[in-house]
Amino acid sequence: MSAQASPYESDALPTETVDVVVIGGGAAGLNGALMLARSRRSVVVIDSGAPRNAPAAAMHGFIVLDGTPPTEILRRGREQVRQYGGRIIFGEVTAARAAVPSADGDLRFTVTLADGHVVTARRVLVATGLRDVLPEVPGLIEHWGHSVVHCPYCDGYEVRDAPIGILATGPASVHHALLFRQLTDDLIYFARGTDLDSGTRARFAARGIRIIETDVKEVVDDDDGTLVGVRLADGTFVGRRVLAVATRMQARTEGLDGLKLPMEDLPDGMGRRLASAMAGTTEVPGVWVAGNATDLSAQVGASAAAGALAGSHINSVLAAADTDAALAAAQPITG
């Protein structure tokens, strides 16, 4: 799931063709735009305002910015992109596709927004992020990003020493449990019908991880809405203060069908991503992808770094294209 951020004032959408349109205004998209704008490229960021980490009170695991609210990081990021001439548009992309190349053969793309406006660009950076798909356990989604967590590196220290329950979703949950065991001595693994072989059971026993086979019926809150545990299918209540879930991670691709970007499934049912290669290049000429849309496990720092790499690579490709065009224009016409 993704939470909707508060709208903010948009810049004017340019009518002329821009060098790059960035679809996605998170860490990857903004850092890509920053690199491009600092290279004096005309760049437009289209931001739907639904970052993955919006429910979180603070972002962790990124040096210098550790503990900063995600909304503040994005606000400062937008401000910095704008300082270098980049434009930020709060809006939703409904269509993106290749267009007729320019007269000199340079690529063109059109991106259509929900309000009907269209921007044309020479290159596209997709940084749409991902959506976390949680198991359908009543009461779970209401605590997402607070008492229901996913990443031991993003949120683990904040829930250290609490009674934690792992809600198994598949094979990846086994490793998830070992990571959270590092953070608490009180860990229960709710198997929820998933298979555990004898070797895994022995490893869990060695680490003092209790296994409950009975399925989880619902999350239980106290009178003030605080998560206090789960109720099992047989009616038993099991107290927990925190639940950890290895979500299925799904790259956000709404509005991108026209680009025909290839996708890949991750092993063990962990999720589905946009396929990419070095520096975020894709099989579609002129289109790059960066951040959680292609690297489902990337935290904020890694996503920002990927955006910077993709942005610099796009600039280098555009520099070569500009030089080729200038050279062709300088050639004498012979007849």
Side-chain angles (χ1 to χ4, degrees), residues 133-137 140 150 166-174 176 189-195 244-248 268-270:
V133 181
L134 277 69
E136 295 182 0
V137 176
L140 189 68
H150 163 71
I166 302 291
L167 293 187
T169 56
S173 295
V174 171
H176 210 220
Y189 189 87
F190 296 96
R192 300 184 64 250
T194 59
D195 293 329
V245 184
T247 61
R248 175 175 170 79
D268 296 330
M270 291 177 60

Side-chain angles (χ1 to χ4, degrees), residues 17-325:
T17 297
V18 298
D19 288 322
V20 184
V21 62
V22 179
I23 305 176
L30 289 174
N31 219 31
L34 182 67
M35 296 295 282
L36 288 159
R38 282 180 51 81
S39 297
R40 306 191 74 178
R41 293 291 175 188
S42 54
V43 58
V44 172
V45 178
I46 310 299
D47 176 24
S48 67
R52 179 191 187 191
N53 61 0
M59 181 278 304
H60 295 285
F62 190 3
I63 194 170
V64 180
L65 294 177
D66 184 84
T68 306
T71 52
E72 175 62 13
I73 292 173
L74 297 180
R75 185 195 66 78
R76 290 161 61 181
R78 293 191 294 267
E79 182 180 88
Q80 290 173 350
V81 169
R82 284 168 163 155
Q83 285 177 351
Y84 294 102
R87 301 193 193 192
I88 313 290
I89 309 297
F90 189 94
E92 183 179 349
V93 172
T94 57
R97 57 178 55 90
V100 176
S102 65
D104 61 5
D106 193 29
L107 297 173
R108 290 292 185 271
F109 297 88
T110 59
V111 175
T112 304
L113 306 187
D115 62 7
H117 286 91
V118 178
V119 59
T120 302
R122 300 171 65 191
R123 303 294 185 271
V124 176
L125 172 58
V126 174
T128 48
L130 64 82
R131 177 175 291 104
D132 289 290
V133 181
L134 277 69
E136 295 182 0
V137 176
L140 189 68
I141 198 169
E142 287 82 356
H143 296 284
W144 177 242
H146 302 285
S147 298
V148 175
V149 299
H150 163 71
C151 175
Y153 303 105
C154 306
D155 309 302
Y157 188 82
E158 282 62 46
V159 300
R160 66 194 183 281
D161 299 326
I164 299 176
I166 302 291
L167 293 187
T169 56
S173 295
V174 171
H175 184 60
H176 210 220
L178 299 179
L179 295 177
F180 274 94
R181 175 60 181 84
Q182 177 67 23
L183 300 161
T184 184
D185 294 331
D186 187 354
L187 188 68
I188 293 177
Y189 189 87
F190 296 96
R192 300 184 64 250
T194 59
D195 293 329
L196 290 174
D197 58 30
S198 58
T200 298
R201 290 177 183 275
R203 291 168 68 82
F204 277 13
R207 293 304 310 271
I209 300 173
R210 178 184 170 196
I211 301 170
I212 291 182
E213 307 281 359
T214 307
D215 200 5
V216 174
K217 178 183 178 181
E218 62 183 356
V219 173
V220 179
D221 299 342
D222 66 10
D223 293 339
D224 68 0
T226 301
L227 189 154
V228 293
V230 300
R231 195 172 309 283
L232 306 182
D234 63 6
T236 303
F237 171 77
V238 181
R240 297 287 88 184
R241 302 300 296 187
V242 175
L243 297 174
V245 184
T247 61
R248 175 175 170 79
M249 298 173 286
Q250 179 73 44
R252 299 187 62 193
T253 60
E254 296 86 349
L256 303 181
D257 290 349
L259 295 177
K260 297 179 171 58
L261 292 167
M263 299 195 70
E264 294 178 341
D265 288 316
L266 271 65
D268 296 330
M270 291 177 60
R272 187 165 172 81
R273 75 179 190 114
L274 291 168
S276 67
M278 185 274 296
T281 53
T282 72
E283 293 180 5
V284 180
V287 181
W288 283 252
V289 60
N292 279 150
T294 185
D295 184 354
L296 302 182
S297 63
Q299 295 175 254
V300 173
S303 292
L309 180 60
S312 61
H313 193 260
I314 294 170
N315 180 59
S316 69
V317 169
L318 286 173
D322 292 342
T323 304
D324 290 343

